[in-house]
Amino acid sequence: MADVAPSKGFDTPSTNLPLQVNRFIGRERDLSAVCELLATTRLLTLTGAGGSGKTRLALQVATDLRAEFTHGVWWVELAALTDPLLVPQTVAAVVGIPERAGYTVTAALADALRSQQMLLVLDNCEHLLAPCVQLIDTLLRTCAQVRVMVTSRAALTITGETIWPVLPLRVPEADQSPIAGLLAYEAVQLFMERARTVRPSFTLTPTNAAAVVQLCRRLDGMPLAIELAAARLRALSVAQIVARLDDAYRLLTGGSRSALPRQQTLRAAMDWSYMLLSAQEQACFRRLSVFAGTFSLEAAEAICADESGTADDVLDLLSSLIDKSLVLLEQRFIDQGGEARYRLLETIRHYGQDKLQECAEAATVRRRHRDWYACLAAQAEAATLEAGQERVFDRLEAEHDNLRVALGWSLEQQEAETAAQIGAAIRLFWLLRGHMSEGRSWLERALAGFADQNAVRAKALNAAAILASLQDDYKAAHRLAEEGLALSRTLAERQQTGYALYILGRLARMEGNYAGAVTLFEESLALFRALGQKHDIALVLSGLGLTVLYLGEDERATALCEASLALSRELGDPRAIASWLTNLGIIMLARGDDKRAQALCEESLAIRKALGYKGGCAHTLTVLGGIALQQGAYAQAIACYQESLALRQETGEKEGIASALEGLAAVWGLQGQPVQAARLYGAAESLRTRLGAPLPPMDRPYYEQTVATLRAQLDEPTFLQAWTAGQAMPLAAAIAEAVPVKAHEHLPLTPPSAPVERPSTAPTGGNPFGLTAREFEVLRLLAQGLTSPQIAQQLVIGVVTVNFHVRSIYSKLGVSSRSAATRTAIEHNLVSV
């Protein structure tokens, strides 16, 4: 037969596009981009998963471009075609080219369309890729004005092809509000439009909005799934539909009877895609369904390879599944400079899990998945002691969903010890990235699931204890840490013994038992020094330093924290460096050096933000708020306290919430709003009472001065009424009151009233050093052995003020220590003994 048939004209209508029976929703960006591409490319393939809306987008594009093609826009439906040899005949029949004896249909088509300016749309080509490629290649080479648009779950991979991925519709965030904002999302628009076709009165209300958002998110914004879900409103509420989505393939049926069979149910759409895969592709797809969220190539290679396969086999299969729109490449990770990561849409993933179960390999693959993530957790734990912690925590954040699956499966299989091992290994990730409630829950569930008195249990007990303490659940933290200490000592696990002692010391300090805390910290420090654990030595040194500060030993506190900081800088541990910088900043603030305190805390905050450590950022912000407050920078103080408050809410650290409320109450009081300040102070006091977390002694004098100022501004009944109302407020209500606090520039700023200077007894030796009356008073108490907090309490002034006087006394006496000042005072009869 001849390759090219003689030209022959034909008369046909200018289009055969199907009429659209409902409104096209959203996709404005896709619609505009595809129309523009068809002006510059001769072959455009719309790819996407089954039910993603490829056909509907192509139909809208074709409809919008009808006037652009002199010889029409032609729609060729290939879904029902099973014989590859009939592809050319089907196209010829649509455009009206008769068969001719002695010529192939392809040749006849090429000759007839040679001078035609038209758009051919070949819909649903994925099962006929080879004959479609052959026909399209011939037409593009011989018919200069013919353009082709294809819809397919897999690209044609032909020269000259431009690919446009048709992604799911945009969905709202989980907590998206208000209602008006929801209607900007395409998935919600589609659901509402299709819902009204079955229930014309259906509207979006505060009652059903959350369920609509959940439905759209659970269905990944997939148009077919959303339309099938909307059809169920004939018999169910939105909330009932959401409740049944775990069995989506049974629920999402009943599509239009006029649609293709595979578009009438979600399972039929997936069955069609699965059937087109090779046996190796099917196996890889099933195994990939064990992943939750995104996953890496390394993980896929470890978990999906056959016993006889290689890593290259998995890469090739994964690439093929991406081409067939069953796996998505998450471009955002590459754009951020990271490694490629992949994802299955949830509806597709559930289908794969069903197939995995049918093939009786679910247990094997899930165990392989769990073991791989247990190994990842162990590697991450070791890496957190090295430089580059941010990358480690970013990796764990990306894998968090898979770690949850590994933990959950371990518990389901009564392998709680492995769950405890994973949880203890990633405890720092949970702590630093604000997942403390979740981490503690996993650890406590794991601990409840096994009773073996071994090293894994001791480590998990300590991990759970530190998370509980950071959430201010002191009772649970004590129970866990004490059990961890007893077990560690029994097992002679000296490192875990040291951790348990440290946690108990931290709890003692938070509860105001400073002497007890020192004893516990010193025992912990001795153990870590014996072991040569430098990271842990630095940890305990700083904790001990902060504790002795509360006992008034500010010089020793400074030395301990500086030693801790130097050790962590030597080790290159940014997390620890940031923590010790803030602790040293607290000490400098107590010693009256607010400029150095601010510089230290700002350096700490920058590191903690880079690490994504929410709880640490909140803590440092509270200290910076206190510094700004003392400097009279009220707007800056408010910003620090409010940001800290928001972060504390995320992490669930209630003692930190109390600190932020107290800071904002002080600002309000200093700005002439005593009633509001008293309410917040009352709420903070109630919270501290419930937690058993008293104010540190160094903070109490300033607190008491501020409260005294509030009392002076109000009559006693008004003050007590406001304070009592604050105590009775739910925590959420107190936080809501704290959020609107603002700096009022035009209000007179009223600092805490300074106590009246009481004249001190005249020194017997006169006043050769030029000391003020207050300095004589401070020197007298200092010589009696009182600490700075004790002096502050005695004189009803702040610790910072006491330390200011102490430095002035040292300068005037020409000494550098308390003992030297006392000796000089006695020698010159400045104080009586």
Side-chain angles (χ1 to χ4, degrees):
M1 291 193 298
D3 288 335
V4 180
S7 176
K8 180 177 179 180
F10 58 93
D11 296 316
T12 60
S14 61
T15 185
N16 69 331
L17 291 176
L19 293 176
Q20 301 184 61
V21 296
N22 50 29
R23 193 164 66 91
F24 183 75
I25 303 294
R27 300 277 194 201
E28 289 84 2
R29 174 178 171 272
D30 288 314
L31 191 59
S32 174
V34 171
C35 287
E36 289 179 10
L37 282 171
L38 279 172
T40 59
T41 185
R42 295 185 57 213
L43 172 59
L44 179 64
T45 302
L46 306 183
T47 63
S52 63
K54 302 181 297 296
T55 295
R56 190 57 194 274
L57 175 60
L59 181 56
Q60 189 63 44
V61 169
T63 301
D64 290 354
L65 293 180
R66 279 181 301 180
E68 304 295 323
F69 294 92
T70 305
H71 298 96
V73 176
W74 302 96
W75 186 270
V76 183
E77 175 55 67
L78 298 175
L81 198 64
T82 57
D83 187 346
L85 298 177
L86 296 179
V87 169
Q89 283 89 332
T90 304
V91 176
V94 167
V95 298
I97 304 298
E99 293 189 30
R100 300 177 190 176
Y103 298 96
T104 65
V105 177
T106 298
L109 264 173
D111 184 65
L113 303 183
R114 193 182 304 273
S115 61
Q116 304 294 303
Q117 195 234 356
M118 67 166 58
L119 173 64
L120 280 177
V121 184
L122 306 186
D123 189 34
N124 295 299
C125 296
E126 56 271 354
H127 60 306
L128 299 166
L129 289 178
C132 286
V133 165
Q134 187 176 13
L135 173 63
I136 292 169
D137 185 61
T138 299
L139 293 179
L140 293 180
R141 292 178 186 279
T142 57
C143 308
Q145 299 185 76
V146 170
R147 296 181 186 272
V148 182
M149 180 165 56
V150 168
T151 74
S152 174
R153 301 185 191 192
L156 302 179
T157 61
I158 181 176
T159 302
E161 179 185 33
T162 298
I163 300 169
W164 183 263
V166 180
L167 301 176
L169 299 173
R170 288 192 313 121
V171 299
E173 296 298 325
D175 56 352
Q176 179 72 32
S177 63
I179 289 175
L182 296 179
L183 294 174
Y185 291 90
E186 297 168 334
V188 176
Q189 292 174 25
L190 179 63
F191 179 78
M192 295 303 297
E193 179 79 12
R194 301 303 184 251
R196 290 187 183 113
T197 65
V198 296
R199 282 175 53 187
S201 62
F202 185 80
T203 57
L204 198 60
T205 68
T207 304
N208 64 25
V212 170
V213 169
Q214 192 176 359
L215 181 144
C216 292
R217 289 178 60 80
R218 289 280 301 277
L219 296 178
D220 295 304
M222 290 292 283
L224 174 61
I226 290 172
E227 293 191 350
L228 293 172
R232 284 294 185 184
L233 286 173
R234 294 185 181 95
L236 299 172
S237 69
V238 185
Q240 286 176 304
I241 295 172
V242 170
R244 293 167 179 260
L245 283 181
D246 285 340
D247 195 6
Y249 287 100
R250 184 186 297 265
L251 176 70
L252 301 182
T253 62
S256 171
R257 291 190 181 92
S258 63
L260 293 167
R262 69 167 186 264
Q263 294 173 344
Q264 292 181 21
T265 72
L266 193 59
R267 177 167 290 281
M270 283 306 308
D271 284 343
W272 174 259
S273 292
Y274 188 72
M275 176 190 70
L276 297 175
L277 301 177
S278 69
Q280 292 81 7
E281 289 170 337
Q282 287 179 350
C284 185
F285 168 68
R286 292 192 303 267
R287 293 164 188 166
L288 288 174
S289 71
V290 300
F291 290 106
T294 65
F295 56 91
S296 66
L297 174 61
E298 183 186 7
E301 289 172 338
I303 292 158
C304 298
D306 288 323
E307 295 298 328
S308 58
T310 66
D312 288 341
D313 294 333
V314 173
L315 175 58
D316 291 341
L317 292 169
L318 180 61
S319 300
S320 179
L321 292 171
I322 293 170
D323 291 340
K324 292 176 170 61
S325 305
L326 288 170
V327 177
L328 296 179
L329 171 65
E330 289 287 313
Q331 186 65 36
R332 60 193 168 95
F333 290 98
I334 298 174
D335 293 342
Q336 294 165 4
E339 65 175 8
R341 294 188 67 81
Y342 314 90
R343 174 171 75 95
L344 275 69
L345 296 176
E346 277 303 295
T347 48
I348 293 175
R349 177 172 171 258
H350 286 307
Y351 179 87
Q353 289 178 330
D354 288 347
K355 290 297 180 183
L356 191 67
Q357 203 69 41
E358 289 175 12
C359 293
E361 58 179 348
T364 300
V365 177
R366 293 194 70 180
R367 182 172 296 281
R368 200 182 297 174
H369 175 277
R370 192 279 310 279
D371 291 346
W372 196 87
Y373 280 99
C375 182
L376 175 71
Q379 292 169 352
E381 180 182 27
T384 54
L385 298 179
E386 302 168 0
Q389 291 175 6
E390 183 182 358
R391 292 193 300 275
V392 175
F393 295 136
D394 285 346
R395 174 71 182 276
L396 291 176
E397 196 78 68
E399 297 287 11
H400 202 179
D401 286 331
N402 284 303
L403 288 163
R404 289 169 177 137
V405 169
L407 287 161
W409 192 78
S410 297
L411 294 176
E412 288 172 18
Q413 300 299 305
Q414 281 77 53
E415 296 175 11
E417 184 173 332
T418 304
Q421 204 162 17
I422 295 171
I426 62 173
R427 65 195 181 281
L428 283 178
F429 162 68
W430 279 328
L431 187 158
L432 296 173
R433 289 297 175 93
H435 304 294
M436 287 186 286
S437 293
E438 179 181 352
R440 181 182 165 193
S441 174
W442 282 118
L443 283 165
E444 290 182 347
R445 287 171 62 192
L447 287 165
F450 78 109
D452 292 354
Q453 301 297 296
N454 56 22
V456 172
R457 184 172 187 84
K459 188 175 180 180
L461 284 164
N462 284 338
I466 193 64
L467 292 173
S469 74
L470 287 166
Q471 291 192 298
D472 310 307
D473 188 347
Y474 300 151
K475 183 178 179 180
H478 268 293
R479 173 179 53 79
L480 291 161
E482 285 164 1
E483 183 184 346
L485 178 60
L487 179 56
S488 298
R489 281 179 164 157
T490 298
L491 298 171
E493 285 279 344
R494 292 200 292 168
Q495 185 176 30
Q496 292 306 318
T497 300
Y499 285 142
L501 288 165
Y502 167 78
I503 295 165
L504 289 168
R506 190 175 182 279
L507 287 167
R509 185 184 71 214
M510 293 169 74
E511 294 167 339
N513 179 9
Y514 302 114
V518 168
T519 300
L520 290 160
F521 281 139
E522 288 178 340
E523 186 179 352
S524 174
L525 184 61
L527 274 171
F528 289 137
R529 279 178 168 155
L531 292 169
Q533 300 283 131
K534 290 186 177 182
H535 287 280
D536 300 324
I537 291 169
L539 172 72
V540 183
L541 281 173
S542 188
L544 180 58
L546 206 55
T547 306
V548 299
L549 174 68
Y550 297 153
L551 290 171
E553 301 175 37
D554 48 355
E555 291 180 7
R556 184 185 176 201
T558 303
L560 287 166
C561 270
E562 286 179 341
S564 173
L565 181 59
L567 191 53
S568 291
R569 288 195 190 279
E570 175 193 330
L571 295 168
D573 183 347
R575 175 184 58 83
I577 290 168
S579 295
W580 317 152
L581 283 167
T582 293
N583 285 358
L584 190 56
I586 291 170
I587 294 169
M588 291 301 105
L589 182 61
R591 300 189 71 174
D593 191 348
D594 57 347
K595 287 187 177 179
R596 188 176 178 212
Q598 182 172 349
L600 289 164
C601 288
E602 286 174 349
E603 183 183 353
S604 170
L605 184 62
I607 297 171
R608 284 176 155 174
K609 283 186 173 179
L611 290 173
Y613 181 11
K614 294 179 181 179
C617 287
H619 176 50
T620 304
L621 283 162
T622 299
V623 180
L624 284 168
I627 296 169
L629 191 62
Q630 292 200 22
Q631 295 171 337
Y634 298 114
Q636 184 180 345
I638 290 167
C640 289
Y641 285 131
Q642 289 181 336
E643 187 178 352
S644 174
L645 182 61
L647 289 169
R648 299 288 196 186
Q649 288 176 266
E650 286 187 49
T651 59
E653 296 172 83
K654 292 187 173 62
E655 194 273 338
I657 290 175
S659 296
L661 290 176
E662 288 156 355
L664 290 166
V667 176
W668 236 332
L670 291 167
Q671 295 191 122
Q673 299 185 67
V675 172
Q676 294 93 327
R679 285 171 61 85
L680 279 189
Y681 270 130
E685 181 191 60
S686 176
L687 179 57
R688 285 192 179 278
T689 299
R690 293 198 303 272
L691 295 173
L695 271 170
M698 62 174 286
D699 296 333
R700 182 156 289 281
Y702 184 84
Y703 171 87
E704 289 175 348
Q705 290 174 52
T706 310
V707 172
T709 301
L710 297 180
R711 284 182 180 272
Q713 294 176 26
L714 298 168
D715 59 78
E716 192 65 12
T718 303
F719 173 82
L720 290 175
Q721 183 181 9
W723 192 280
T724 305
Q727 287 179 312
M729 270 197 298
L731 181 57
I735 291 169
E737 282 204 16
V739 170
V741 178
K742 295 181 181 178
H744 298 283
E745 297 176 2
H746 304 297
L747 284 176
L749 302 179
T750 311
S753 54
V756 178
E757 292 277 357
R758 296 193 296 268
S760 58
T761 305
T764 58
N767 188 10
F769 298 99
L771 299 177
T772 66
R774 174 63 86 188
E775 287 169 350
F776 273 120
E777 203 160 22
V778 170
L779 181 57
R780 176 175 55 81
L781 296 173
L782 185 148
Q784 292 174 14
L786 272 66
T787 65
S788 290
Q790 290 168 334
I791 295 170
Q793 189 169 13
Q794 184 89 3
L795 299 180
V796 199
I797 59 177
V799 174
V800 172
T801 305
V802 170
N803 288 326
F804 174 81
H805 288 311
V806 170
R807 286 198 304 276
S808 178
I809 291 167
Y810 288 175
S811 176
K812 290 178 179 180
L813 298 183
V815 299
S816 59
S817 69
R818 290 178 179 235
S819 59
T822 301
R823 185 169 56 252
T824 300
I826 294 171
E827 289 173 354
H828 289 81
N829 297 316
L830 299 177
V831 297
S832 56
V833 293

